Each structure stands twice: as structure tokens, then as C-alpha cells.
Amino acid sequence: MADDKGLSNHKEFLAPGAAHEAAGQGHAATDLHGRSLVEFDRAAERRLRWKIDLYTVPTVSLLYLFCFIDRANIGNAKLAGFEKDLHMENYDYNAVLSIFYIAYIVFEIPATMTCKWMGPGWFLPATTLAFGICSVGTAFVNDKQSASGVRFVLGIFEAGVMPGIAYYMSRWYRRSELTFRMALFMVMAPLAGAFGGLLASAILSLDHFGTLKSWRMIFAIEGIITIGLGLIGFLTLTDRPETARWLNQEEKDLAIARIKSERVSTTELLDKIDLAKTLRGIMCPVTLTTGFIFLLNNITVQGLAFFAPTIVGTIYPEASVVSKQLHTVPPYVVGAFFALLFPLLSWVFDRRMPWFVLSPPLVMIGYIMFLTSHDAMVRYGATFLCASGAFAFGSLTNGNASNNVVSDTARSSAIGTNVMLGNIGGLISTWSFLPFDGPDFVIGNGLNLATSTATTILGAMLWMWMRWDNRRREGIDVDQALAGMTQRQIQDLDWKHPGFRWRT
């Protein structure tokens, strides 16, 4: 077995009951070239992976579903009189949307690091409970100032949800498995668009909810559901493999060892937060480029969430409010299918970068249709293409950021950076469809055509650079490069370790 520095070239078969040494603190599960020193019983891994899927994915998926619903239901409320009742004019609605994203962006990395410090098993339910309360509070606002205040606080508490869940899942899954598991919860974003429209339609069919009527019922009822899910999360979320009551000791050791076997020179799976590795995650070139790609893509994703009901309203101006809500559902369902398909293929082929290049053209075609046609059915069909190409990027970019750093600390800061940059795109999206630009929204549609084109180009360039740098690293003498360094210094290198390879 490997010594503390992982210098051994010996490779042994690791049965479920023999994982303890690889899982133990002070032992590395790779050599200095990043090659795994152990092989795993594939049948035991499959059983373990299925068990992890059952105990982690359903809870985080529901939390993220209502995180996105509580963020985007303001679009459904807008159709039901939100603007009119709060006496909003001109760009007031866009300003209220922007307030959320200012808080969301500022608190993104701090929230993700807090998640690591507290542990996801406590942080995720607590922040869900908090933003559920904020959603209920929105039902009682009476002017744009109070609406802006509640949306700002909502942004603070929702900031850590997506990166927190992505980081949480990186504690459980191999790099090849991770993107698809992220997709299983991030698919809730397009499903929130579909389910949120259906739920809003059902709620609006009620005469009242207590003393609340119309759009106020949407925020109150959906917020109460969120609070309930947050309370359940305290009981169902397990922080990490070591504390999982539903795993026996052999399964815990196997869960830890298989993750360590992919992290070059790592001797502890959950390290303490330190500045060096935090900055490694933030300043990684793959993190920054991937985050900028997510920024461009999020202009489309969040724009669809906030303005899909408005866009449908311009396509079918004579339809009832409920009918307009229902017309927003089918594009999201199709988008959800592709949000799972591309990450599934990335797991099957263990490649993520090809989908950075292949999915944006669907978005490009959709916005070209918006810009060149006034036919209602053509434009409605375009929303399907836009959703199909855009929604997979949440899991693809977070998976790419997570897979291309080494330590747990760097992973938490890399994911936080990716989501922070992505939500700058969300902030931009709040100003992409402006009242004076309707009903054709040439500026908004043109912007999204430009961003999807840029996404395709940047994705191709990043892919080529990662392949080129991997070939460069092959020529480095690893033993000479690391000569004289302590184990701590070697581990602090993270992605700069000469034995590390980018995962494309």
C-alpha cells in the first residue's frame, strides 16, 4: 500500500472489506503521477453508488426545485398583477429582479465556504428554511421598496444552495459520475419552470388563502412548502460518508477510498480551510473560463425563467392568464430532457467538453428564429430549442469546475466561483428584456444569440487548451519537479501539481 507521500508504484485490488488503509488519514491513494494505487471491486462500487443515489439525490433535488421556484415565481406573479398592485412603473420590475442577484453574487463564495465550514448536512437545510421564510414574507409586501428588501434577503440565503449542493455531491461521487448526479438535481431548474407554472395556475384558481389573494397566494403557499422541506432536510441529509448512518463501515471506507484514488497526493479527503488552496480553486484557469461560459449561458437560463411568461404573453396576447402560464410548461419539459441527456452522455463517455460545443448551437438557432420570424408558432417552437441547449450547462460547468481541482477546499471555492460568475449572467438577464423592446424584444433576443455564439467559441478554445496543457505536462519529470518539497507543499500545489491532468 502507499506510504504517506503516495510514492509507491504498487497497485492492489481493493475489495469492499479492504478499503480501510486507503481511506485512513495520512495515506494517499495515488502515486505522484496521479495514478490510482488501488483497484476497486466494480460490483461493490455499483451497489454503493446506487445506495448513495437513493439517500442523497431525492432530498437535494427537492430543495433545489423549491429554491428555483421561490426565485422565479415572481415571473408568474407578474402575470397575476404583481406590478400593478405594487404600483411599479418603467423599469421597477427589472430593478427588483436585479436586487436579488446583487445579494446572490456578493454572498456566493462566502456562502459556499460557510457550507464547507458548517457541513452541507446542516447548512443546506438551514438556508432552505431561511429562504422559505423570505418567500412567505414576499406575500405581504405592499410597495417596491419592501419587495426589493425581501428579494435582497432571499438572494443572501439562496446564494449557497446550488454551489453547496454541487460541493456536497463532490464528497460522494467520482469525477466521471459527478456531472450526471449534479444534473439530477439541476434538472429541477427547467422542471421548476414547468412545475412552477402548473403550481401557480392551480394556486391562482383559489379564491383566497387565508387573507391573501391573487399573486400573494403564490409566494405564501410555495414558501410554506419550502419551509417544510427545509425541516425534513435536517433529518434526511448526511454530511459526509464517515457520518452516514445508512452505510456500514466497509461501505464508508470504500466511499472514501474511491474518491481519494482520483486526487493526486491527497492524504485527507476533507481538509481544513486554508487560504492557499482556497485561492487555487478561485484562480484556476479552468474555473475562471468555465465560470465565464456559465455567465454567458445563465443570461439565457435566467432570462427564460423570469420572462418566459411575458414572452408567451406576446406570442398569444389574447390568451387568459392561466393559459399563458400553462404555455410556459412544455418548453421546460423538453429542456429538462436535454438537461439530463447531455450529462448522462458525459458520464457514459467520461467527457464533458464536447457538450460545451454541441449544445449552444441549439440556443443559437432558437434566437435566430425569434429574430427572423413573427409567426407565433415559430417563436413558440424557438423557446423549445433555447431551453434544450441552455439548461444542461448548470451541471456541465459545475462538474467541470469541480473535476479540475484536487483538494476539498479548492473544490468548494472553485464551485462557488463558477456559480458566482454564472449569476452575474443572471443579473444581466434581468435587464435583457426591457419594456420598450417589446413585443419583438430584438435587444434581448440579439443578446442571447451573441452569448450562445460566444459560448460555443469559448468552449472549443478551452477544450483545445486543456488537451494542449495535458500534453505539455506529460513531458515534465514529476520526481525532479517535486524534489525537496514537503507533503504539505505538494498538496498545496493542487492543480499545479505536475502529475495532475485536466479532465476534459
Side-chain angles (χ1 to χ4, degrees):
M1 194 62 186
D3 63 14
D4 283 1
K5 292 188 179 182
L7 297 174
S8 172
N9 288 318
H10 175 63
K11 196 170 192 176
E12 67 181 54
F13 180 81
L14 193 66
H20 183 72
E21 188 176 355
Q25 295 293 323
H27 292 281
T30 73
D31 63 14
L32 289 180
H33 297 269
R35 296 184 294 253
S36 175
L37 294 172
V38 290
E39 292 181 357
F40 298 92
D41 183 335
R42 292 188 178 183
E45 271 205 279
R46 282 194 298 271
R47 291 192 297 271
L48 174 65
R49 188 170 56 234
W50 177 242
K51 199 170 186 179
I52 293 171
D53 287 343
L54 291 177
Y55 277 90
T56 61
V57 174
T59 298
V60 296
S61 296
L62 284 173
L63 296 184
Y64 189 65
L65 171 65
F66 276 86
C67 172
F68 206 90
I69 284 177
D70 287 355
R71 177 192 319 174
N73 56 11
I74 192 171
N76 302 109
K78 181 174 183 280
L79 278 180
F82 178 80
E83 280 184 299
K84 180 181 177 181
D85 291 349
L86 298 188
H87 309 293
M88 292 184 178
E89 299 175 346
N90 300 321
Y91 306 114
D92 289 343
Y93 176 73
N94 301 80
V96 170
L97 296 183
S98 296
I99 287 292
F100 169 87
Y101 276 104
I102 291 171
Y104 202 101
I105 292 164
V106 170
F107 288 90
E108 199 75 66
I109 294 177
T112 310
M113 302 310 292
T114 301
C115 179
K116 175 176 170 58
W117 175 70
M118 285 182 62
W122 293 102
F123 175 83
L124 292 172
T127 201
T128 300
L129 180 65
F131 71 71
I133 293 171
C134 289
S135 182
V136 173
T138 312
F140 298 94
V141 300
N142 292 307
D143 51 48
K144 63 184 179 183
Q145 289 81 11
S146 57
S148 297
V150 173
R151 292 288 294 184
F152 185 85
V153 178
L154 181 71
I156 294 174
F157 289 121
E158 287 204 359
V161 178
M162 177 193 277
I165 295 175
Y167 162 67
Y168 172 62
M169 300 190 86
S170 74
R171 290 184 168 191
W172 298 90
Y173 291 103
R174 285 182 177 271
R175 292 188 292 183
S176 61
E177 305 162 352
L178 183 60
T179 299
F180 179 62
R181 268 63 190 189
M182 288 184 180
L184 290 176
F185 85 81
M186 290 185 188
V187 73
M188 294 299 150
L191 288 181
F195 181 66
L198 292 172
L199 184 57
S201 299
I203 291 172
L204 290 173
S205 68
L206 301 174
D207 290 331
H208 60 89
F209 178 70
T211 60
L212 303 175
K213 295 184 178 181
S214 186
W215 57 267
R216 298 181 185 276
M217 297 189 296
I218 297 176
F219 291 111
I221 293 174
E222 292 177 356
I224 289 171
I225 295 172
T226 301
I227 291 170
L229 290 173
L231 294 173
I232 293 171
F234 282 112
L235 302 176
T236 58
L237 277 185
T238 302
D239 202 54
R240 57 192 183 276
E242 296 97 314
T243 60
R245 294 186 298 271
W246 40 273
L247 293 178
N248 60 40
Q249 190 58 51
E250 291 180 356
E251 290 170 329
K252 291 177 182 179
D253 291 341
L254 179 58
I256 297 167
R258 73 193 202 103
I259 303 302
K260 285 179 65 176
S261 71
E262 295 188 321
R263 300 183 181 178
V264 59
S265 296
T266 296
T267 58
E268 52 184 0
L269 194 60
L270 300 181
D271 57 346
K272 294 182 179 179
I273 297 175
D274 69 60
L275 182 61
K277 283 182 281 192
T278 299
L279 292 176
R280 283 282 188 260
I282 295 172
M283 301 308 296
C284 173
V286 171
T287 299
L288 294 173
T289 309
T290 300
F292 187 66
I293 289 172
F294 193 28
L295 182 158
L296 296 172
N297 176 257
N298 231 17
I299 294 175
T300 298
V301 172
Q302 302 299 340
L304 285 172
F306 290 124
F307 297 105
T310 302
I311 294 170
V312 169
T314 65
I315 296 173
Y316 302 105
E318 304 302 322
S320 67
V321 171
V322 171
S323 177
K324 290 175 185 177
Q325 301 277 14
L326 293 176
H327 270 90
T328 65
V329 173
Y332 282 108
V333 173
V334 174
F337 171 77
F338 282 93
L340 287 176
L341 177 63
F342 292 146
L344 175 61
L345 293 173
S346 80
W347 179 27
V348 172
F349 296 105
D350 194 13
R351 291 289 183 271
R352 281 141 296 280
M353 293 311 300
W355 315 112
F356 277 65
V357 178
L358 295 176
S359 58
L362 294 172
V363 184
M364 293 165 60
I365 295 170
Y367 283 106
I368 289 172
M369 291 167 64
F370 268 121
L371 289 166
T372 58
S373 176
H374 294 278
D375 183 82
M377 290 306 296
V378 171
R379 288 187 161 191
Y380 187 53
T383 62
F384 287 81
L385 289 172
C386 295
S388 298
F391 278 108
F393 268 89
S395 55
L396 289 172
T397 57
N398 278 291
N400 205 47
S402 176
N403 284 348
N404 286 294
V405 292
V406 179
S407 68
D408 189 71
T409 294
R411 182 165 286 100
S412 63
S413 63
I415 293 172
T417 301
N418 179 66
V419 179
M420 180 196 71
L421 290 172
N423 282 292
I424 294 175
L427 176 61
I428 295 170
S429 76
T430 63
W431 295 93
S432 59
F433 292 91
L434 299 171
F436 75 85
D437 197 28
D440 292 330
F441 296 106
V442 175
I443 295 175
N445 292 326
L447 173 64
N448 280 279
L449 174 60
T451 57
S452 55
T453 303
T455 298
T456 308
I457 295 170
L458 281 173
M461 292 175 65
L462 177 60
W463 188 10
M464 288 189 290
W465 180 84
M466 292 168 75
R467 288 168 61 88
W468 170 82
D469 197 54
N470 280 344
R471 288 193 297 270
R472 180 189 65 82
R473 288 170 182 249
E474 292 291 343
I476 298 175
D477 185 330
V478 176
D479 294 316
Q480 182 178 346
L482 299 179
M485 298 180 70
T486 66
Q487 178 64 31
R488 173 64 181 270
Q489 290 173 324
I490 291 172
Q491 291 189 158
D492 282 349
L493 288 173
D494 207 85
W495 55 269
K496 288 192 172 184
H497 191 294
F500 176 78
R501 297 294 181 270
W502 305 112
R503 292 293 291 264
T504 61

